[in-house]
Amino acid sequence: MVWLHPVLGILAVLLILWTGMAGLSARQRDPSAPAKRRLHHRFAPVAGLLAGLAAVAGTLTVIFVRDDLDVAASWHFRAGWLCVLLATGSWFSSRQLHQRPGRRRLHPWIGLALMATAVAV
């Protein structure tokens, strides 16, 4: 179980960055925008799920394997769970879930915060 957290975390960070960049480039007015939008729509939930699984695996690893660490004492723990919170907020503000323009305008900003937090983890 010790290797599960870093593998899931690395995959989550890479997928968050890739889908975030696809989402940002989908906002441009060029011929590839619809394809980027489809990629973003398809893989962003997977990135959020991977972030959640990485956070749970890391927390369980500290509880059951790493007796030398406190569960919520590190910035890494807080940043990881902040990624999960931001991914959830991004999902709630997505176009598919809500048609309210105010929430939709928040979506790219939450995504940018998620990408920055993922890099910081």
Side-chain angles (χ1 to χ4, degrees), residues 8 34-36 40 42 58 63 93 108:
L8 287 174
K36 300 278 184 163
H40 181 73
R42 178 177 290 152
I63 291 171
S93 66

Side-chain angles (χ1 to χ4, degrees), residues 45-116:
V46 177
L49 180 64
L50 280 175
L53 290 174
V56 168
T59 302
L60 292 176
T61 299
V62 170
I63 291 171
F64 293 114
V65 178
R66 299 287 308 265
D67 295 333
D68 58 324
L69 298 174
D70 291 328
V71 174
S74 71
W75 67 269
H76 182 75
F77 174 86
R78 291 194 266 322
W81 281 102
L82 179 59
C83 279
V84 174
L85 181 67
L86 289 168
T88 303
S90 182
W91 179 72
F92 273 115
S93 66
S94 69
R95 177 177 292 143
Q96 290 73 29
L97 190 61
H98 297 290
Q99 294 296 326
R100 297 180 185 164
R103 288 184 185 165
R104 182 70 190 133
R105 274 183 250 135
L106 286 175
H107 183 75
W109 297 105
I110 295 170
L112 284 171
L114 173 60
M115 290 169 64

